[in-house]
Amino acid sequence: MTTLHPFDPITPGEIQLAAKLLQASFPGVPLRYKKIDTQEPIKKEVVPYVEAERLGKPLPRKPTRLLQVLFHRLDTGAFHKALLNADTRSIVYAKELPKGVQGPADVDEIVEIEQLCLSHPAVQAEVAKLQLPAGATICNDPWIYGTDNANETRRLWQCYMYVIATDHPQNNHYSTPCRFSPVFDGVTKELVRMDYLPSGPDGTSTETQPWKPVETVQYAHDLLDTPLRTDLKPYIVQQPQGPSFDVKGNVVQWQKWRFRVGFNSREGMVIHNLTYDNRNVFYRLSVSEMTVPYGDPRAPFHRKQAFDVGDVGFGLTANQLALGCDCLGHIKYFDGYRADTQGNPVLLKNVICLHEQDNGLQHKHTNYRSGAATVVRNRQLVVQMICTVSNYEYIFAFIFDQAANIELEIRATGILSTVPFDNHKFGTTVPWGTNVGPGVMAPNHQHMFSFRMDPAIDGHNNTVYYEDSVPMPEDENNPYLVGYTTEQTVLGTSGTANTSVERHRVFKIRNDTKINPVTYKPISYKLQTSPSQMLLASPRSFGLKRAQFATKPIWVTKYRDDELFAAGEFTNQSQESEGVEKWAARNESVENDDVVLWHTFGLTHNPRVEDFPVMPMERVSVMLRPDGFFTKNPALDVPQSSQTFNQSTLHPEAAACCGPPAEIQKGKL
Amino acid sequence: MTTLHPFDPITPGEIQLAAKLLQASFPGVPLRYKKIDTQEPIKKEVVPYVEAERLGKPLPRKPTRLLQVLFHRLDTGAFHKALLNADTRSIVYAKELPKGVQGPADVDEIVEIEQLCLSHPAVQAEVAKLQLPAGATICNDPWIYGTDNANETRRLWQCYMYVIATDHPQNNHYSTPCRFSPVFDGVTKELVRMDYLPSGPDGTSTETQPWKPVETVQYAHDLLDTPLRTDLKPYIVQQPQGPSFDVKGNVVQWQKWRFRVGFNSREGMVIHNLTYDNRNVFYRLSVSEMTVPYGDPRAPFHRKQAFDVGDVGFGLTANQLALGCDCLGHIKYFDGYRADTQGNPVLLKNVICLHEQDNGLQHKHTNYRSGAATVVRNRQLVVQMICTVSNYEYIFAFIFDQAANIELEIRATGILSTVPFDNHKFGTTVPWGTNVGPGVMAPNHQHMFSFRMDPAIDGHNNTVYYEDSVPMPEDENNPYLVGYTTEQTVLGTSGTANTSVERHRVFKIRNDTKINPVTYKPISYKLQTSPSQMLLASPRSFGLKRAQFATKPIWVTKYRDDELFAAGEFTNQSQESEGVEKWAARNESVENDDVVLWHTFGLTHNPRVEDFPVMPMERVSVMLRPDGFFTKNPALDVPQSSQTFNQSTLHPEAAACCGPPAEIQKGKL
């Protein structure tokens, strides 16, 4: 039996085991691995185990350790999925998936397609037509193909081509997009088609012309034509007594919080088994999916719709973080592992970081009679992952504080996905994008995230409801017409709900069996949503059919194993999603039951020119806050903020030139 | 002529001058000063002056230095307003205001009323009926009376009474509200009425009964029944080379930003004459008003509606900040002055603080081919003020960053305003509030802020418009049904607009005469609103009539001097507001003109029990971001984040117990 915890990420040994088991079951067949990872353990096996851990009771049988493998048979090209039992070192199943089901991109495949594209004679012929100046070369970003044809079953890649105008490791090729874009079959490696990109407001395109060099828009400091700022002074975070957290393996303890940091190649960072002061709060928190549809209507851009979780994976694209760049203070890093195409483990170093931060004041009150002030700062614990998805970066952080709040903060940064555009003539614009440089335009797009919350508010049976603030009727109970109350609506069966700013709608997760002794209402956590515009694509479009999670801000489903990803298991070139909308449609009772809450939110991102060549972060956040979970402010016992502890520095005053008269500086004044 | 800058706050000498001038013009008449402060200088005089400063040109004549005084004649009780010219040391006017116009509360008046109340025989008689145990005493919070009668012209105070159960400077008396509440005439000092507060779900009240001691809910660390946390380690911000800002008088320069920190007794902190890289951005930014109406329909609580700017003033209630409590790092403080009732200056020490903070990453991109990463952290400059308004605290911060973003962040903390409530019987609740302790309930309320933005986007004539994101029609220009565009609506005449999450509505302020050479569109700044529920009070209620600014999230008006406060000049006991709604109703052209943009936003605050006895901060924020103001990301020239600069610390790893095999740690892995 393994020494691993059920929530521990996959180990190198398990990757090797999986490859060995599969190879043995396909003797002589060359296999290409796409993914070897843990399979989320079966909840009904895990709950008794983690409950025993929490209560300090004897541990029951450890949940089955399951592994999941996606692979291709190279002899037939067939795509397979296998489930393995690591405890018994056996294959539960290894099944061929239906034709047309496409697995996600993997790191090696992307590099492979990139090279295939660059070395293809047809591409080289187009490059030749560019008549590039000396020193300029070409690169390409292989893009997930997207969907516009219900009969397409090939695995396709659309390569967007760029001129590398400057030989520098941080040259911004997104400033110089080319006007041709080959499409490859990722299995047969054949060139399917050479697309020529539209470069004016209408959809028409032209044959490849000689490249007209333009001034590129660069972000690398070496390549700027202006000097760097010299007036920014160091700001150093010192934790002379070390951090306030304690980490053992993947278990983190900090300020009454305890949780396990999970990692998998698809979601990346996951929070498991979250407790506060040894009370259950959440079973699992993760960003379950995201989609980025573009609003440019012109072919082939209409197919640009990334599902960054399902199509690639935030685990695979997580940055290997470097000390002193991505965080300040005392930093703990977590590693992960992925498999390569041969089934060998690959270390993903420093893919998650953990550190504390100061977030200003948490609470303050001054008794104006006595002048006595209570001041408590808001120390936070940040679990962070930064993902590079080709051009774009996402910074994900789960932020915990001492008042039992949980924040999911997402920052969008990186480089806009650009298209070539004939904007050299003054005034040429399109209504679906922004000119960001000479010959280059950045189309409007949306970033829609799905935050999956599997609650355990003092137990695993919970109820989701929403609460609106509404004026009281204008009757004898409200004679002065200022009364307002709240109105509760229980989401008793699985389904959806809308946010509502007008009604100040708040979603809550309560435990109907635990009544707060002060409020006389069930204990709960509330979700402060981030009300967002939902998908703009037409309900008749593939774009929307594939991402139905992004048509409603709130979904509730009854928990079932294996229902983790809002747009379904396989998103790459999907025809329609098989995700949360299907599970919600079962109309199951979710009242006082094992309910899962999903929140879709995001950004409609109509680029600013200031977002280029690299984008100042756009921040979006949702919060989970206790609401009647405690009987009073849980941060009351945080020590007072004091100069002894904080050691701040007073700014030296310049010699007074026009200060107040001496008599005013003294006495009452 | 004064050596002061037009935007400099009032000086002690000016306060003394004002009192001297007025006393001379009312010989022998005893005067009681309510306010002596600067009057906002006349914009058409200021603009040429600050433009000359900005452009390094010879300075024109300095704008007239105006002072404003509110005072009572103690012989007649009449309330007056005076305008003074400090340059000529003369009175422009001193006029008696109409009967019924109430000036704001002032610090001395509140103390006066408190003492009046405690020493009044009728109050003492009620206190006697409480038969308080030894050691327990009584205090009261004099409350702004509010409005429920169109004929009321007296200056009234409603004193809410509390038991001080514990003799400690931080005793939380809000945990033990009494059930009687005297109303005083603030001018005649007479007891107008003894109100008995309802203490059950209906509005009925009872005669004062002996006090039944309850367990109080305390926040002071000395008074907690649980020990403080001992596992929070110090987190120290060091700036060994000093701050990156430079302050001369009230001028702040930091990272291409330059502005003047203003201070007045009403708004407190104000940002004047904000430029970035010597380009005009905003003429003036301030929190112009806020109102806090309560949703408890029972008399006398229906009158609880504070206007914390107009009724008292954030300058007067600003905390005198202490090093090492309210901020970390290198701190610069600004002082202010107010007048006492005799017209003497009173120093308000450290009412505004200035410091830098680190806000995580500003932008990052990793070129996945080369692995080269550009990482720039988000250093911010914070101008902060913390106000204590009896029970509540507000933390206001203008936050500037290196990408030319401006954030107004407001944190609500402090203590809930509570009412007595018979909740000793299990299950007794009201739908308009939350039980927060034995015998005490905190009613629902709203916090509605008005952010006033006087823009100067590369010049003083600007246009406000909003931009919605809308799907393209399903026609031949959108064959794949995924296209979406933006739709612009200019607010050409003064008026209002709504926010819209569904349409991702963004408000922008543009300069029609300056076209961005890259986007080919007018340069602009955008306002990222905080879409909020507007006032819940009925349109027929005084609550709403007095705070019409809080019925719409967006207002635009044509600039006029003296139109600074969203609910009008005099809010205390106002019958209806005389503010932004009146100015907007003029239907003036504000296109390419001197336009002012007002954003109303806030919190519907239905208390959590966790918000008691002191509230973990609730944060609300709006952002002003350049949108086509620059030709690219303005933070490109911020130096790379590096370990040399940041000096972070790596968490020491425990001895590996189950690390990867040696061969995996090396090589490709």
Side-chain angles (χ1 to χ4, degrees), chain A residues 541-561:
Chain A
S541 68
F542 281 107
L544 185 135
K545 287 177 191 160
R546 301 176 65 205
Q548 295 186 57
F549 78 93
T551 62
K552 285 280 185 182
I554 293 288
W555 302 84
V556 289
T557 59
K558 187 172 158 77
Y559 178 87
R560 287 197 192 175
D561 286 326

Side-chain angles (χ1 to χ4, degrees), chain A residues 140-141 170 233 236 238 324 345 362 369 374 379 393 411 423 474 520 540 608 617 626 646 669, chain B residues 140-141 170 233 236 238 324 345 359 362 366 369 374 379 423 474 520 540 608 617 626 646 669:
Chain A
N140 72 97
D141 280 11
Q170 289 170 284
K233 305 288 171 58
I236 296 165
Q238 294 218 329
Q362 174 67 283
R369 288 174 190 78
T374 290
R379 184 74 66 85
E393 260 80 7
R411 298 181 182 210
N423 58 16
E474 301 191 4
Y520 304 145
R540 298 194 292 124
R608 304 178 301 156
M617 62 88 183
N646 295 326
L669 314 177
Chain B
N140 74 96
D141 280 13
Q170 289 170 287
K233 304 288 171 60
I236 296 164
Q238 294 218 327
N359 180 251
Q362 174 67 283
T366 304
R369 288 174 189 78
T374 290
R379 183 74 65 88
N423 58 16
E474 300 191 5
Y520 304 144
R540 298 194 294 124
R608 304 179 301 155
M617 62 88 182
N646 295 326
L669 313 179

